[in-house]
Amino acid sequence: MKSKDQVSAARLWAAYNYPYLASALFALRFVADDKVDQIAGDEYFRVYINYDSAHDWPVEVLGVEMIHQVGHLLRGHALRAQEI
């Protein structure tokens, strides 16, 4: 499966299993970045992904990671980190 297809499938899996987070999931923008180990997000709903590392992840695992990143965003973790 191509990397972008994998991301799309994972996003659909996450939206199906967590429909109350669907708006946030579809607001995520994925940016290819070889500098991150696997996946990382920022406060602007950008998710940096190393497609080489994440390629072997099952769709469900990538979907759970998307939910994890959305949780950080919705809880304002980036803003709290800046205050520290």
Side-chain angles (χ1 to χ4, degrees):
M1 181 180 304
K2 293 181 184 177
S3 298
K4 292 190 179 193
D5 293 339
Q6 182 185 21
V7 168
S8 295
R11 191 188 322 244
L12 287 174
W13 178 92
Y16 177 80
N17 288 286
Y18 299 87
Y20 46 89
L21 296 175
S23 295
L25 287 163
F26 285 100
L28 295 176
R29 297 292 164 239
F30 286 85
V31 178
D33 191 343
D34 294 335
K35 296 176 196 158
V36 298
D37 287 335
Q38 295 173 341
I39 193 168
D42 68 13
E43 65 267 23
Y44 304 109
F45 278 72
R46 291 180 298 220
V47 176
Y48 303 96
I49 184 168
N50 185 331
Y51 285 114
D52 293 335
S53 296
H55 180 71
D56 294 331
W57 293 4
V59 167
E60 296 83 4
V61 172
L62 186 54
V64 168
E65 184 59 34
M66 287 182 190
I67 296 296
H68 179 82
Q69 293 299 323
V70 164
H72 283 298
L73 291 164
L74 296 180
R75 290 180 181 94
H77 289 180
L79 294 175
R80 289 191 308 186
Q82 288 176 358
E83 291 174 2
I84 294 174

